[in-house]
Amino acid sequence: GAGVSQTPSNKVTEKGKYVELRCDPISGHTALYWYRQSLGQGPEFLIYFQGTGAADDSGLPNDRFFAVRPEGSVSTLKIQRTERGDSAVYLCASSLNPMNTEAFFGQGTRLTVV
Amino acid sequence: AQSVTQPDIHITVSEGASLELRCNYSYGATPYLFWYVQSPGQGLQLLLKYFSGDTLVQGIKGFEAEFKRSQSSFNLRKPSVHWSDAAEYFCASQTGANNLFFGTGTRLTVIP
C-alpha cells in the first residue's frame, strides 16, 4: 500500500480480554516499530523489528504485551488480560532501514479498555 | 539516558506571526533529531530531520530548525504561521539504529 496501515482504527474491549492490533508496513520496509501514545503524551517506544526478529523489545511494559512479525512484513501486537491502563493510541511505523531514513507512521489504533 | 524536553505545553500565535517551538535533548553524543507534526485524526508526519552537516535544516510546509550543540537545542521555526499549522508538534531524537525518543509535545493554536 501507499502508507502504513493499522487495523482496527478503534477497539473497545472489556478489562481482562485479549486483543490483537495489526500493522501493515510500507512494502519493502525492513524496519518496523510499535509505539504507544497516552493522552497528552508523546509516543513511547514499545518494540522494534528488523525483518522477522525483534531487535529491541525493551519498551514492552510487561509480559502481557507481545508482538510478532512472522514473515517480515505484517506485524501484530498482542495484549493479554487487558487493563484500563492499557488504553492509549498504539502507533506503528516503518522505515526502509533503521539508519538515516524516515520512519513513516500509521494513523494508529485507539484502544479503550472498559 | 536519552531524553527530549519540550518546555512549552501549549502555544498560541496569531495567523501571520512568527513561530518558534523549543526542543532540548539530553545525550552524550549528538543524536539524530526530528520534528514531527500530528493533526487531529492524522498520523505523525515528518517535518524535518538533522543528521549532520549544516546546522540549519529546511523542512516541509515552510518550517526550519536550527541545531545548536552548545545549547543542546533543536528549535523549530516558521516565519509566518498559517491557520492550517494548528496541530501538535513533537521533537524526537534517535541514536544509531535505535528507536525514536519523543518529547511530550507542544500544542499550537493559531488565532485569526
Side-chain angles (χ1 to χ4, degrees):
Chain A
V4 177
S5 176
Q6 291 188 247
T7 54
S9 55
N10 280 283
K11 176 71 177 177
V12 180
T13 190
E14 292 180 348
K15 179 175 177 294
K17 298 291 189 184
Y18 168 83
V19 295
E20 290 189 352
L21 312 179
R22 176 188 169 103
C23 173
D24 257 293
I26 293 172
S27 178
H29 280 195
T30 62
L32 185 146
Y33 304 81
W34 283 99
Y35 291 83
R36 179 168 70 174
Q37 186 174 19
S38 301
L39 195 63
Q41 300 296 315
E44 293 178 308
F45 168 74
L46 294 177
I47 186 169
Y48 152 54
F49 287 89
Q50 179 56 37
T52 60
D56 183 354
D57 64 357
S58 62
L60 295 177
N62 51 60
D63 61 5
R64 295 188 297 105
F65 288 74
F66 189 70
V68 296
R69 195 186 185 197
E71 298 178 359
S73 177
V74 171
S75 176
T76 304
L77 179 66
K78 308 180 181 195
I79 310 175
Q80 299 177 320
R81 305 182 304 280
T82 52
E83 299 177 357
R84 292 196 178 89
D86 298 334
S87 297
V89 175
Y90 289 81
L91 298 169
C92 177
S94 71
S95 64
L96 191 59
N97 61 65
M99 300 290 293
N100 293 355
T101 59
E102 176 182 353
F104 293 84
F105 282 81
Q107 294 194 11
T109 294
R110 181 175 299 278
L111 175 66
T112 304
V113 182
V114 298
Chain B
Q2 193 174 171
S3 69
V4 173
T5 302
Q6 293 181 250
D8 304 306
I9 296 172
H10 183 205
I11 283 183
T12 300
V13 300
S14 298
E15 190 168 15
S18 64
L19 171 71
E20 183 169 29
L21 302 182
R22 295 183 291 165
C23 172
N24 292 94
Y25 68 91
S26 172
Y27 189 67
T30 300
Y32 304 141
L33 296 164
F34 306 79
W35 275 99
Y36 282 85
V37 62
Q38 187 176 41
S39 299
Q42 302 297 313
L44 286 159
Q45 181 182 22
L46 180 67
L47 289 175
L48 46 78
K49 61 190 177 188
Y50 172 77
F51 288 154
S52 64
D54 193 348
T55 57
L56 184 63
V57 293
Q58 302 297 321
I60 63 171
K61 304 185 180 186
F63 286 93
E64 66 177 25
E66 186 171 13
F67 169 66
K68 293 185 177 179
R69 185 190 306 276
S70 61
Q71 299 176 19
S72 297
S73 70
F74 188 57
N75 294 349
L76 181 72
R77 301 194 295 247
K78 186 169 184 176
S80 177
V81 171
H82 188 262
W83 64 266
S84 61
D85 293 325
E88 188 91 21
Y89 291 81
F90 292 95
C91 182
S93 68
Q94 181 186 29
T95 56
N98 295 324
N99 53 285
L100 292 164
F101 283 86
F102 285 87
T104 52
T106 297
R107 183 161 62 93
L108 175 65
T109 297
V110 181
I111 56 177

